[in-house]
Each structure stands twice: as C-alpha cells, then as structure tokens.
Amino acid sequence: MKLKLFAVLVILTLILSCNYPSTIPEAQKGQPLINYVNTFIGTGGHGHTYPGATLPFGMMQLSPDTRLEGWDGCSGYHYTDSYIYGFSHTHLSGTGISDYGDVLLMPTDRINFNNGADGKAGYRAHFSHDNESASPGYYKVKLDSTNIDVELTVSLRSGIHKYQYPSKDDQYLVLDLDHRDKLIDYKIQKLNDFEINGYRHSSAWAKDQRLFYHIKFSHPISNIVYDEGDGVAVVKNYKFESKKAVLRFENPTNDPVFIKVGISAVDEKGARDNLYAEIGNKSFETVKNEAEAYWENQLNKIVVESDDIDKKTNFYTALYHTMIAPNRYQDVDGRYRGMDLNVHHADFDYYTVFSLWDTYRAAHPLYTIIEQDRTNHFINTFLAKYDEGGIMPMWDLSANYTDCMIGYHAVPVLADAYLKGIKDYDTEKAFEAMKHSATRNKFGLEAYKKYGFIPVDEESESVSKTLEYAYDDWTIAQMAKAMGKDEDYETYIQRAQYYKNVFDPESKFMRGRFRNTWFSPFDPYEVNFNYTEANAWQYSFYVPQDINGFMNLLGGPKALEAQLDELFTANSETSGRNQADITGLIGQYAHGNEPSHHMAYLYNFVGRPHKTMEKVYDILNTLYKNDPDGISGNEDCGQMSAWYVFSSMGFYPVTPGNNQYIIGTPFFDKASINLENGNVFTIKSYDLSDTNKYIESVYLNGENLDRTYLTHNEIMEGGTLEFYMNDNPAIWGSRDRQVPTTEITDHIILPSPYIENGDITFRDSTQVVLNTSEEDTKIFYALNDNDFKLYEEPFLITDNSEVRLYSEKGALKSPTLTTPFFKIDPNLSIKLDSEYANQYAAGGNDALIDGIRSTKNYRTGSWQGYWNTDLVATVDLGSNKPIEEVKVNFLRDQGAWIFYPTEVTCLVSSDGINFNPIEKGTRIIDTSKKNDEIEIKTVQFLAFKNEGYRFIKIIAKKLGDVPDWHIGHSMDGKAWIFVDEISIK
C-alpha cells in the first residue's frame, strides 16, 4: 500500500483557509501527521476496519466493498479479497455484525446488473493492492478488469467519486440499491441529465434504517436503464420501483467523470442540501485537501516523537481509528431522524453508532481529554435519544436500538464526563436518565434488583451482566454523591457491591448461580452462556469500582497478584463454544476483546507495577502492528485503538468515573497532548529502550511523583510528566503508599448465602450444605412454610421442597432466596447414548426427566444441547407399564444455530435389548426452512396398544450443515439440537 505525502506548508495553509476547526499549536512533528496513518491496518485478520475515505466523526464513509457477507466482511472490505463490487457510502469500523453499505456505485464498461458474486460475469472488478492507496480522507484504486482509475474523497455528509475511464466509449455506472442487507423500500429518480435522487431503506442489525441520497454528475447521462428484477434492462425516464440502474455518460473528450453524492437520514432535500452546502461547486482536489487538513488538525491533538516509523504509524492509525465513530447523524440544517424514527431538530451535534460496551472503557475517557466539547454533544445526544426512544442508548445504529451487548454504559460515559467537569447539558435530566436505565426490568435487571445478582436460570450472560451492572451502578453513586443526592448514593453504592454475590470463594472465580447453587460442571476455560464473549478467566477480574474489596475476597494483595500471574501464564486454549471475539491471548488474557483491557494495570494495585510495565510493553509490541492484520481483534469503533493511545503515552483509565489514570510504561520519547483549553500536557521519557522498559523515577512538573497514578486535573492543567527509565524491574512504585486504590467503604452489603452441596433434582434424598463468602456470618433457612432457623449443620431433604435462606452479620442482612428441590421417581432413570455439550448440560444426565420445563430462552441453561450429533436417549421406567403418551420438547432458534431435528422416532422395549418402533412412531420435520420465530415444538406419540413396556428410546436426527441461506453456511456451520423434557404417561 502507498501513503501519500503532503507538504507541510500546503497543509497548514489549507487548515487556516478551510471551514473546519482551527489549528492547534504544533510540537515537533517532522512531517504531516496524516503521513503516519495506514488506513489498511485492521482490514486483515479480524480487525473489521475499512480503508476508504471519511472525516472525523463524519456521516459518510465512502469505501470499497470487497466482501458481501460473513464474519470478516463486517466492514465491507477484507484485505485478502481480490474483487471490488463497488463503492458504497456508509460503513461500520471494527464491529462484529454486518450493516450499512448503502448506495453502491460501480464504474464499468457494459450494462450488467449482476454483481458477479455467483462467479458469473458481473460488474465486479479485479484489483491489486499494488494499484491501491489510501490516506485519511482519500482512497484510490485501479480496477484491473476494466482499466478504470477510481479516486474517492469526502466531506462530513457528502463525497466525490473521480473516475478516469480508459476511453470515451462505454462509460457506464452501476447504481445498486440491493447491495448488502435486506432492502425494505427504495427509489431511483432521474431529475435531469445531471442529477438523480432517491432513497434506500433497509433492515439488518438496524431493523429500519432510512437513507436518502442525491447524486450530481459532471457529465450528462446519455441514457439510463433499469433492472426489472430478472436482469432485463428497460429504458425509461424514471423507474421508482427499480432496485438497480445502469447509467451511460456522454463524454466525447474522455475527461475524468466526477460524481458528487450527498446523503441524509431525513429526506431527499436533506441529502441535496448537505451536498450543496458542503461541496457545491468545489473541485475534487479542493475537497480532498480540505479533508486532509481537517484530519491533520485532528491528529495534531496528540503529537508523539520517535525515530521508530512503525511505532508512530501504529499510534496515528490508532488515533485515527478513535476518531471514526461515533458518526454525525444530522443534516446541515440541524434536522435528524430520532429513535422514534420521526424527524427532529437540534442546535447541538447529534450522533449515532455508540458501541458503548466497548468504548466506555477507554475511547470515551480519551474524548474527555482531547474532545471535551464533542463529549457534551455526545451526552446531549444521549438525552435526546432518551426523550425520543425512552432510554439512553446501549448500542444504537441509525435511529434504531439494536439491543446488542450488555450493561447500560451510557451511564458511565455520562458520569465520567460530569465528574471531570464536562457539564454543558441538563445535569438533572441526565441523572434522571441514568437512574431510568438502571431501574427497568429488561435484560435481567428485575432479578438483579430483587436478589442482588442475576440467576443463570432467569437470564443469559448472567455473570457478565451482574458485574457490568454493578460497575454502572457505582458510577451513578459517584454522580449522586457529587450532586448531594444522599439517598440515591446509598442505593447505588450498595448495588455496586452486587459483584460479591457471584464470587465463589472456593474456586476464586466469578460463577453463575443456578437455582442458588454454583453452575456446574465448572471449567474456567469454558466459553458458555454465563459470560459475554468470554469465560470465567476473562470476566473474574472485572470489579474496577472496588478493586480493594475484590482483593479482600481473594485473600489480599498477594492472592490477587498470584491470580493475575496465573491469568497471564495459563494455557491459551479455551473450551466450550467457539467465540471468534476471543483473540490476542496471553495466557487467558484476551486483548482482542474488551473485558480484559484493564487487567494488566491491576498489578499496580498490589504494589507490583513492574509487572504492569512488562505486560503493557509486551502487548504494545506484539499485538499492534503496521500491517493489515495489525489489530488482535475487532477494532470496535475505537476501543482497541484507544487502549493503544493511552497505554503508549504511559497510563490508562482502569476505572472511568474516579478521575485516575493508572501508570503503565511509556512507549515514546515524547508525547504532547494539545488540550482544548490551550494547555499542553507533555510526557517525556529518558533512556527508553526495549530493555529499559522499567520506570526508575517519575517527575510531574519537576516534583517527584511518589504514586503510580495521575489525576485528570493534573493532565488538564498542562505541564510535564517525565519518566526516567532503566532495566531494573523492582524499584519504583512498590511501596504501599504509592499504590492506587478503588474501594467501597460506605453502606456495605452482605452477600447472599448459597447452596454449596445438594442436588436440586434427586431420587431418594439429598443432603443440603449451605455456605457464604463472608466470614463470621450466620445463615438462616426454612423448609417450605416452616419458620426460619439458624443453619448449624447439613440437613436432609426427602421430598419435593422449597428451601428459603438468608444471612446476617451484625445489622446487615441479605435478601431472602428461595430454591425448589424436585424429587424424581426413584424407579425412573435415563441413559444417554450421545454426548451433550458441557455448557448446555441443563443440570446433567437427568435433565430430560427432572420435571423442570424450559422457556424459549436457551441461554438460561435449562435446555440440553447437542452439537452436530443425533440425540439418542433411553428412559427406563423401572418395570413394564402401559404407555398412553410420550412427549418430547425441542427448541428452534435458528439465529442461534438451533434447529429442530429432521426426524424424531420413538421405540419401545421390555428387555432393553430388542427395540421396536411404535405405530406411526416417526415424525418427519421440515427443519431447514427459514423461520425467524423462536418456538418450542412438542413431538407427541399417542395411544399405544400395548401390555406394557419398560424402556422408551427417543432418537432425534441432526440436521448437520446449516442451510445455504443461513449466515453460518459460509463458515461450514453445524446445527444444534436443543431438547428438554421427555414426558411419559
């Protein structure tokens, strides 16, 4: 790839002359900073970035599309591809789900409506990376198949294509609205010989995305043909109902063809106004130069100095990636489409694409330093979305709530900003919206509020949700305290401690609570439905709000240090389901996914900062590269890059909301943060090298810094932070008074007790053992409607029962929990001849005869799952009995790759050796037909004419490969069978 160089003088002149933000004083840059951005980093591997043209936080992302579907096609481009299908105007950066790709344009030399994905001749074109280059705001490629040169550049809401055809003849352009996701509504209207407009409404991750466009051509359209749906071209003046059109240009002198495109989420007028206001009659070069100047000014917010070009390239590409999203979602006149899908007007900048589960950790804290004014706009956007849709966003996309990921992480973004003095919004309304996010009854919150944790059997990803909710609640508490809201502070500081209820003191991991027992069998390496894109290793350190409290649960600083050592040296394999997000493994630390991002810095809290330095330096050196496969996981809208930006400067926000940045180790000789308030915060490193990665001493503004953290105010006031480096790993920051702390000391709660031993489903009897993670605590329990009594020793249950329990310590009391115990007919047993998946065990071998019925949510753990295997189960009734009815329940959730079996057979036997099918004993199911409904199917076998049978065998045949319409087909995906109760009457 080639990165274009630009003269410093030209860039500075353009910055001063364009309409974008004013320049910031320069440090020693050497050359324009845009030269160090490699927009191809992350386009390989699983980075899911795109190389095309966009502006900082802009609405338009004008980029080539090389891949139509699949996990690594989420951005529309993958570096390993060799065909370009066209150039569309919207793309997502680093996400894990495909969307966007709106309004595809493709220059070509013939009329063809087929994109060529089927392998037949189509309008797609071969390309080579040797003839491809990109830089911030600009992209260029030669289409080898047609010998057409393409250049792209953009403004905030508009863009320009520049096409150089090889001859004056056969200059065609494909306009494809059917490209990529499901098309809901569309329009192509020829306004005159130079202009076309219309709209594209689509459904994918955003179920109702509305985009309008206005296109202006530099050369007249000599004719236009439309696709009638079967590839037949029809010539008409306009064709609203066509999804595709091919235009031919009249260009007798073979000049470059320029195509100017404006987009809007509001209407066609908005698209036109955006285009004319931002680009109008400007030339391609003018718009390109303005885009480059805008990017230069943005990147100048942090100036790093180093002789290592790869390190500078990694840094500025990371900084570039932090500035791609969120995206402006508002026209030049202030109008935008809100979360109610109606049109609104705002006098602030309105945004979309808030990947908050990722970005609240480091990207938004970075914005509180270098984008303080924009942070106010982000928060005003949150509050507008709260008004329009009833809640602040979790992961919003183009006026749609996607209900993607977990937590309510607009809350910490808002609290972190408020506590750092960023308050240009209605703060009372903001606090109201924060509490509203925390008091709904969706996504396990009802159980979380009632029990102090989320049970496995009530909500998926229960452990991760409990932990993330607890942190979010802590940030509400901090804001309540700052605003003098004492009652709210007490409520939310108590909820911030709910993490204690999922801590297992025996294993030392955060574990799922299944009917008040610990979910088992337990394997900390197993990726299952108790955690979000992770396993127990990768979520058990997530208590940023109370690291000292978590440390005490483990057994003190040495215990936390030992647990961290084991994390980084553990086997780097995971078990359970395949999770593509778990990448960048160092032991079980997974840098490619966000829950791990703070972990290396936890060594500072136990007085071992040299271990933080080692781990951080290793991650910076090995998991970020100047290469297409240069990011160890999905870039995730700036979070992966924000980690690099912070860590390479020498510090990281482990706990957004406490205004501290934990010191790691510097990566550059010098870094200067040019702040919006006019101050400059400079980080200098002396004697830094690959061996001298340890800090010997630190000085802040000439004074010895005798602690391993900075405060936000110290950065914002400007000044100089100096690191003196050496090769000695154990000198600086190891004394107790130097370590950071995050600790909850007010309104302490008592963790709930749990059932340590005892079978929830049993035959004759089961012995119940109770326990708690809190020392010197009394446990009280009651059987059925009996009075509570002090638990002193294990007790026996011999029949169906309910056990109620709570704990007390002094004036503290936990919530009361209730667990039902079920007695199985002691004569009834089951033999499984096929192996269920450990993470979908539903309680073990007897799950199919335990009398406990499942809901439609497979993630609650009460379904037994079989992956790519037939179910073969034999029920033993204990003796021959007349059979009237046999029923078996199966789940269908095709989006989760769970399909009904293709056929179910019921066989019977008296001796357990010779089995015969019953009359009409096979049910055939058309399981491969697409159906988005999540349903439970009961397969029923009725009215046996028999003298009695002892054994009932159920055989359910697998589907095997998922159908070709399924997203998993391209990944050679296999189907699951999920089965619940086998009932025999």
Side-chain angles (χ1 to χ4, degrees):
M1 70 218 50
K2 304 170 185 175
L3 298 177
K4 192 169 178 68
L5 300 180
F6 304 95
V8 177
L9 182 59
V10 172
I11 292 295
L12 291 178
T13 302
L14 288 166
I15 291 173
L16 294 172
S17 63
C18 72
N19 295 324
Y20 297 124
S22 58
T23 188
I24 300 170
E26 292 192 64
Q28 296 299 312
K29 296 193 299 184
Q31 60 176 306
L33 301 179
I34 59 172
N35 293 353
Y36 297 109
V37 176
N38 178 357
T39 65
F40 291 96
I41 291 177
T43 60
H46 302 305
H48 296 184
T49 63
Y50 59 84
T54 190
L55 281 191
F57 310 99
M59 181 187 290
M60 179 172 282
Q61 306 87 35
L62 181 49
S63 188
D65 290 75
T66 68
R67 190 167 295 196
L68 304 178
E69 59 185 8
W71 169 249
D72 285 325
C74 288
S75 73
Y77 181 100
H78 198 270
Y79 196 79
T80 60
D81 296 332
S82 54
Y83 286 92
I84 288 176
Y85 292 92
F87 307 92
S88 61
H89 296 77
T90 58
H91 295 84
L92 292 173
S93 177
T95 67
I97 297 181
S98 300
D99 214 308
Y100 278 9
D102 292 297
V103 189
L104 185 84
L105 298 181
M106 181 60 167
T108 185
D109 58 4
R110 64 181 67 89
I111 296 175
N112 197 323
F113 294 112
N114 178 27
N115 62 17
D118 57 5
K120 299 178 182 179
Y123 62 70
R124 72 175 185 176
H126 186 274
F127 78 106
S128 167
H129 296 303
D130 292 336
N131 296 319
E132 182 186 34
S133 61
S135 60
Y138 176 71
Y139 175 85
K140 180 179 180 179
V141 69
K142 175 182 283 292
L143 303 177
D144 299 334
S145 305
T146 53
N147 222 19
I148 299 171
D149 290 315
V150 176
E151 295 179 73
L152 310 173
T153 192
V154 291
S155 185
L156 284 173
R157 306 164 182 86
S158 317
I160 306 184
H161 304 239
K162 177 184 178 182
Y163 303 151
Q164 181 62 66
Y165 290 88
S167 74
K168 64 182 179 61
D169 301 315
D170 300 325
Q171 296 192 356
Y172 290 98
L173 175 71
V174 177
L175 167 57
D176 189 346
L177 301 185
D178 203 25
H179 171 69
R180 209 154 164 91
D181 53 12
K182 179 181 177 182
L183 199 57
I184 298 175
D185 198 4
Y186 47 90
K187 175 182 169 183
I188 299 173
Q189 180 176 9
K190 179 184 175 185
L191 301 174
N192 53 56
D193 286 346
F194 289 89
E195 291 178 289
I196 284 178
N197 73 0
Y199 52 80
R200 180 178 192 270
H201 299 171
S202 59
S203 177
W205 198 8
K207 298 302 182 186
D208 188 357
Q209 187 217 344
R210 305 181 188 183
L211 185 131
F212 302 83
Y213 63 90
H214 187 96
I215 306 176
K216 184 176 182 181
F217 307 103
S218 61
H219 290 73
I221 303 167
S222 62
N223 72 302
I224 180 169
V225 297
Y226 299 89
D227 183 9
E228 288 297 272
D230 55 5
V232 177
V234 176
V235 180
K236 292 191 178 180
N237 289 330
Y238 59 87
K239 190 69 175 174
F240 288 178
E241 62 267 32
S242 292
K243 303 175 183 178
K244 303 178 184 180
V246 177
L247 295 67
R248 184 173 185 176
F249 296 115
E250 184 179 325
N251 186 11
T253 56
N254 196 25
D255 297 323
V257 174
F258 297 97
I259 301 171
K260 299 180 178 180
V261 182
I263 60 173
S264 168
V266 175
D267 53 27
E268 289 143 304
K269 177 182 181 298
R272 182 188 186 279
D273 290 349
N274 290 340
L275 175 61
Y276 278 79
E278 292 183 350
I279 293 180
N281 294 321
K282 293 177 183 177
S283 69
F284 184 93
E285 285 302 315
T286 297
V287 175
K288 172 176 169 286
N289 290 338
E290 289 179 352
E292 290 165 348
Y294 195 167
W295 271 115
E296 183 68 17
N297 193 51
Q298 277 289 123
L299 297 173
N300 201 55
K301 293 190 174 191
I302 305 177
V303 177
V304 298
E305 299 179 28
S306 172
D307 293 330
D308 190 323
I309 300 302
D310 280 342
K311 284 170 64 173
K312 289 186 76 170
T313 299
N314 288 338
F315 180 88
Y316 280 107
T317 305
L319 190 59
Y320 168 84
H321 281 143
T322 69
M323 296 172 174
I324 290 180
N327 300 139
R328 191 75 60 86
Y329 198 62
Q330 182 182 35
D331 291 348
V332 291
D333 61 4
R335 294 184 303 154
Y336 66 90
R337 190 169 299 278
M339 303 306 290
D340 54 5
L341 295 177
N342 293 323
V343 176
H344 302 266
H345 183 278
D347 55 5
F348 57 87
D349 296 337
Y350 187 92
Y351 289 86
T352 190
V353 186
F354 288 100
S355 181
L356 291 167
W357 181 80
D358 308 290
T359 56
Y360 83 89
R361 304 168 196 266
H364 280 281
L366 179 64
Y367 302 148
T368 66
I369 297 175
I370 64 172
E371 297 283 356
Q372 290 203 324
D373 182 61
R374 200 181 305 271
T375 295
N376 280 313
H377 292 279
F378 290 159
I379 293 173
N380 278 306
T381 298
F382 290 170
L383 299 182
K385 292 178 189 289
Y386 170 64
D387 288 337
E388 298 148 10
I391 187 172
M392 290 196 295
M394 294 169 59
W395 214 128
D396 76 295
L397 176 62
S398 296
N400 285 248
Y401 291 111
T402 63
D403 288 339
C404 186
M405 304 312 295
I406 65 170
Y408 29 91
H409 296 314
V411 165
V413 171
L414 207 161
D416 188 43
Y418 179 88
L419 293 164
K420 290 173 177 174
I422 301 172
K423 301 178 181 179
D424 192 10
Y425 47 86
D426 185 336
T427 57
E428 288 295 331
K429 182 176 181 178
F431 190 73
E432 168 199 303
M434 293 167 71
K435 288 204 302 179
H436 173 74
S437 295
T439 52
R440 300 182 308 147
N441 289 329
K442 294 184 67 175
F443 305 119
L445 273 171
E446 185 174 14
Y448 173 82
K449 292 181 292 183
K450 182 178 180 180
Y451 305 123
F453 64 94
I454 301 173
V456 168
D457 40 319
E458 293 199 22
E459 180 73 13
S460 64
E461 303 173 16
S462 60
V463 179
S464 296
K465 287 177 180 174
T466 298
L467 295 172
E468 300 256 10
Y469 290 159
Y471 165 71
D472 290 344
D473 288 341
W474 177 83
T475 66
I476 297 175
Q478 301 314 299
M479 190 158 166
K481 185 175 184 180
M483 298 176 78
K485 299 179 183 292
D486 295 339
E487 187 175 333
D488 288 321
Y489 173 71
E490 179 177 352
T491 296
Y492 288 98
I493 202 66
Q494 288 182 333
R495 285 174 52 159
Q497 300 170 67
Y498 285 175
Y499 73 89
K500 298 175 182 178
N501 287 320
V502 293
F503 176 77
D504 171 22
E506 182 176 351
S507 69
K508 307 298 184 184
F509 285 97
M510 301 294 179
R511 289 180 60 180
R513 292 182 65 157
F514 185 66
R515 298 168 189 155
N516 294 327
T517 67
W518 294 116
F519 181 84
S520 63
F522 176 67
D523 173 10
Y525 292 84
E526 181 180 83
V527 180
N528 60 38
F529 58 88
N530 295 325
Y531 308 94
T532 302
E533 298 181 0
N535 59 22
W537 271 116
Q538 291 145 16
Y539 247 110
S540 290
F541 296 89
Y542 192 75
V543 193
Q545 74 277 19
D546 192 15
I547 294 169
N548 289 74
F550 170 58
M551 190 187 307
N552 292 336
L553 287 179
L554 285 171
K558 290 185 178 179
L560 176 55
E561 181 185 1
Q563 193 86 336
L564 286 167
D565 288 345
E566 191 173 352
L567 167 77
F568 283 101
T569 57
N571 188 324
S572 290
E573 299 294 325
T574 62
S575 62
R577 72 166 182 246
N578 178 46
Q579 185 70 50
D581 305 87
I582 299 176
T583 54
L585 284 165
I586 303 175
Q588 280 296 303
Y589 172 89
H591 191 71
N593 214 19
E594 281 67 26
S596 291
H597 276 188
H598 68 295
M599 292 179 184
Y601 289 89
L602 294 180
Y603 281 113
N604 278 35
F605 291 81
V606 299
R608 296 293 184 270
H610 68 282
K611 292 187 177 182
T612 288
M613 299 172 204
E614 291 167 353
K615 301 298 183 293
V616 169
Y617 202 83
D618 186 30
I619 295 166
L620 287 167
N621 260 317
T622 62
L623 296 181
Y624 294 85
K625 296 176 290 184
N626 182 13
D627 185 82
D629 188 10
I631 303 175
S632 59
N634 298 166
E635 206 283 324
D636 285 318
C637 296
Q639 171 58 28
M640 287 289 291
S641 294
W643 190 96
Y644 187 95
V645 170
F646 266 122
S647 295
S648 65
M649 291 192 296
F651 47 88
Y652 185 80
V654 167
T655 310
N658 79 339
N659 291 9
Q660 288 184 357
Y661 302 91
I662 308 306
I663 290 175
T665 189
F667 206 50
F668 290 99
D669 298 326
K670 183 178 179 182
S672 301
I673 306 175
N674 296 306
L675 302 164
E676 291 175 352
N677 62 14
N679 296 332
V680 178
F681 187 75
T682 302
I683 303 107
K684 295 181 178 180
S685 305
Y686 301 97
D687 300 320
L688 178 65
S689 69
D690 286 339
T691 54
N692 289 359
K693 58 189 174 187
Y694 300 103
I695 297 171
E696 180 180 13
S697 60
V698 183
Y699 290 85
L700 179 63
N701 298 326
E703 298 290 330
N704 182 41
L705 186 67
D706 199 22
R707 49 181 158 85
T708 60
Y709 61 91
L710 294 168
T711 69
H712 183 73
N713 285 341
E714 287 169 340
I715 293 174
M716 299 310 296
E717 288 170 359
T720 302
L721 181 70
E722 295 174 292
F723 292 103
Y724 290 85
M725 312 300 294
N726 65 17
D727 59 0
N728 189 335
I731 295 179
W732 179 79
S734 59
R735 295 188 295 275
D736 287 345
R737 61 189 175 87
Q738 296 176 318
V739 302
T741 60
T742 63
E743 186 173 13
I744 297 173
T745 57
D746 298 334
H747 307 295
I748 299 300
I749 69 163
L750 191 63
S752 296
Y754 53 87
I755 298 168
E756 187 172 75
N757 284 302
D759 297 322
I760 301 301
T761 58
F762 62 94
R763 284 189 167 78
D764 296 316
S765 63
T766 186
Q767 187 180 62
V768 178
V769 178
L770 306 180
N771 208 341
T772 177
S773 60
E774 185 79 13
E775 294 181 355
D776 303 322
T777 297
K778 296 178 180 179
I779 301 174
F780 293 85
Y781 77 99
L783 283 175
N784 301 317
D785 295 328
N786 295 323
D787 293 336
F788 281 95
K789 58 182 178 182
L790 179 67
Y791 172 75
E792 297 178 309
E793 61 182 6
F795 55 91
L796 202 66
I797 291 179
T798 59
D799 210 342
N800 289 344
S801 302
E802 277 193 347
V803 175
R804 292 174 291 144
L805 65 159
Y806 67 88
S807 57
E808 282 187 359
K809 183 177 182 179
L812 300 177
K813 181 180 177 181
S814 76
T816 299
L817 307 177
T818 301
T819 302
F821 284 75
F822 300 91
K823 185 172 184 177
I824 301 173
D825 183 344
N827 296 314
L828 194 67
S829 63
I830 187 170
K831 176 175 177 289
L832 300 175
D833 293 323
S834 43
E835 187 175 351
Y836 56 78
N838 185 58
Q839 68 266 37
Y840 300 117
N845 191 75
D846 291 337
L848 302 186
I849 57 170
D850 63 8
I852 304 172
R853 303 300 175 88
S854 256
T855 67
K856 292 181 181 180
N857 187 351
Y858 77 91
R859 299 176 182 89
T860 59
S862 51
W863 287 93
Q864 202 165 77
Y866 294 81
W867 182 74
N868 195 35
T869 187
D870 297 338
L871 164 71
V872 183
T874 304
V875 179
D876 182 352
L877 302 177
S879 62
N880 282 359
K881 297 178 181 179
I883 308 298
E884 297 179 12
E885 179 186 67
V886 176
K887 293 193 295 187
V888 193
N889 295 330
F890 297 96
L891 179 69
R892 179 185 66 208
D893 186 349
Q894 293 177 346
W897 306 29
I898 301 169
F899 288 77
Y900 292 146
T902 58
E903 64 178 64
V904 183
T905 300
C906 179
L907 303 99
V908 292
S909 173
S910 295
D911 58 11
I913 299 172
N914 301 300
F915 283 86
N916 296 302
I918 65 168
E919 185 180 350
K920 299 180 181 179
T922 297
R923 302 285 187 269
I924 305 298
I925 306 172
D926 183 8
T927 185
S928 62
K929 185 177 180 181
K930 185 175 182 180
N931 193 315
D932 293 331
E933 296 296 320
I934 300 174
E935 294 292 348
I936 297 172
K937 184 179 187 65
T938 300
V939 177
Q940 186 178 41
F941 302 94
L942 288 172
F944 296 14
K945 294 179 180 179
N946 61 82
E947 296 179 357
Y949 298 101
R950 176 173 175 175
F951 300 95
I952 310 295
K953 180 178 286 189
I954 299 294
I955 301 175
K957 294 287 188 180
K958 66 181 181 181
L959 174 63
D961 295 338
V962 297
D964 56 8
W965 53 260
H966 194 274
I967 190 172
H969 181 74
S970 63
M971 310 174 200
D972 297 322
K974 310 296 182 183
W976 286 82
I977 293 176
F978 269 54
V979 60
D980 187 18
E981 199 69 13
I982 300 175
S983 304
I984 302 170
K985 183 178 178 182

